Amino acid sequence: GDSVTQMEGPVTLSEEAFLTINCTYTATGYPSLFWYVQYPGEGLQLLLKATKADDKGSNKGFEATYRKETTSFHLEKGSVQVSDSAVYFCALSNAGNMLTFGGGTRLMVKP
Amino acid sequence: DAGVIQSPRHEVTEMGQEVTLRCKPISGHDYLFWYRQTMMRGLELLIYFNNNVPIDDSGMPEDRFSAKMPNASFSTLKIQPSEPRDSAVYFCASSSQGPYEQYFGPGTRLTVT
């Protein structure tokens, strides 16, 4: 079945550092890919998405590119802020089926 | 616009008691999802509804769990009887586009002692 693998956290960075959170997936066909973010004490929020190969999703300074050849959808941000501290979930949806989430990666940004 | 509303936000109960969690989806959304989040198991889909009809409840862990959606603006998740291993954060989410772009509520943190 479909699966999503994320790098284990926590990831600890200083403010203004470059962020990469790795995400790879296993799925048949051409899934849509998503990044969700969960701030402390809140539910998940959709951060960005990409629906086909080579698409780049972007929002709030975050970017991720759908790489079919490497089955990856890594999340990047050029300069993180303390307010970016949260848990980030990579997810896929295949052929209109339910979202399959990765295990989540906790990001901690220190001032 | 109001987002997904869940109540209560926190629930502490004793083992064996009945627990009812409530959810109001975003108006106009025709999909509703119930999830459970724990440190050990991560985020698990329990059940989802489309147009108030349960479509897939294969994630419901046991017969102790039941969910209903009597109308488009209200859903409940009930646990009877509750057990300590049910302690988790329960999220409700809604969508107007199937599994895409789900909008999550703030969650209910359930503690069963």
Side-chain angles (χ1 to χ4, degrees):
Chain A
D2 299 341
S3 66
V4 176
T5 302
Q6 296 180 230
M7 60 189 294
E8 290 194 15
V11 174
T12 304
L13 296 174
S14 297
E15 207 164 22
E16 299 184 1
F18 185 86
L19 168 70
T20 300
I21 299 178
N22 291 335
C23 171
T24 56
Y25 67 89
T26 301
T28 56
Y30 302 92
S32 294
L33 302 175
F34 306 85
W35 277 101
Y36 279 79
V37 57
Q38 183 179 26
Y39 297 104
E42 299 183 10
L44 280 70
Q45 303 174 23
L46 179 65
L47 181 60
L48 53 85
K49 67 179 180 182
T51 58
K52 61 182 188 295
D54 299 326
D55 267 3
K56 176 184 284 188
S58 61
N59 187 24
K60 300 181 180 180
F62 290 89
E63 293 182 340
T65 301
Y66 188 161
R67 301 289 190 197
K68 188 163 180 62
E69 64 275 15
T70 55
T71 62
S72 64
F73 193 54
H74 304 322
L75 183 68
E76 297 182 335
K77 186 176 186 183
S79 176
V80 294
Q81 305 300 312
V82 172
S83 58
D84 294 326
S85 298
V87 181
Y88 293 82
F89 291 89
C90 186
L92 70 82
S93 177
N94 202 354
N97 290 328
M98 291 302 102
L99 287 173
T100 299
F101 286 94
T105 302
R106 181 176 298 278
L107 170 65
M108 300 173 60
V109 181
K110 297 183 176 181
Chain B
D1 288 342
V4 174
I5 299 172
Q6 291 187 246
S7 64
R9 292 294 308 275
H10 301 275
E11 177 80 37
V12 180
T13 191
E14 294 184 347
M15 183 173 63
Q17 297 298 305
E18 177 179 294
V19 175
T20 300
L21 311 181
R22 298 172 175 80
C23 174
K24 177 179 170 57
I26 293 173
S27 178
H29 283 190
D30 53 2
Y31 285 83
L32 184 137
F33 309 84
W34 282 102
Y35 290 89
R36 178 172 67 176
Q37 185 179 41
T38 62
M39 290 292 291
M40 291 296 293
R41 301 174 69 88
L43 195 63
E44 304 172 277
L45 176 65
L46 300 178
I47 185 172
Y48 80 94
F49 296 82
N50 180 213
N51 291 320
N52 313 337
V53 177
I55 303 301
D56 185 351
D57 66 353
S58 59
M60 297 284 263
E62 302 172 31
D63 290 345
R64 297 184 297 106
F65 286 70
S66 62
K68 295 182 180 179
M69 192 165 186
N71 57 61
S73 59
F74 184 67
S75 176
T76 59
L77 178 67
K78 184 175 294 186
I79 308 172
Q80 166 63 14
S82 58
E83 297 183 3
R85 60 194 167 121
D86 302 329
S87 297
V89 180
Y90 291 81
F91 289 103
C92 175
S94 70
S95 169
S96 62
Q97 301 182 47
Y100 293 6
E101 298 195 42
Q102 294 180 27
Y103 291 80
F104 282 71
T108 296
R109 181 174 295 278
L110 173 64
T111 302
V112 183
T113 60

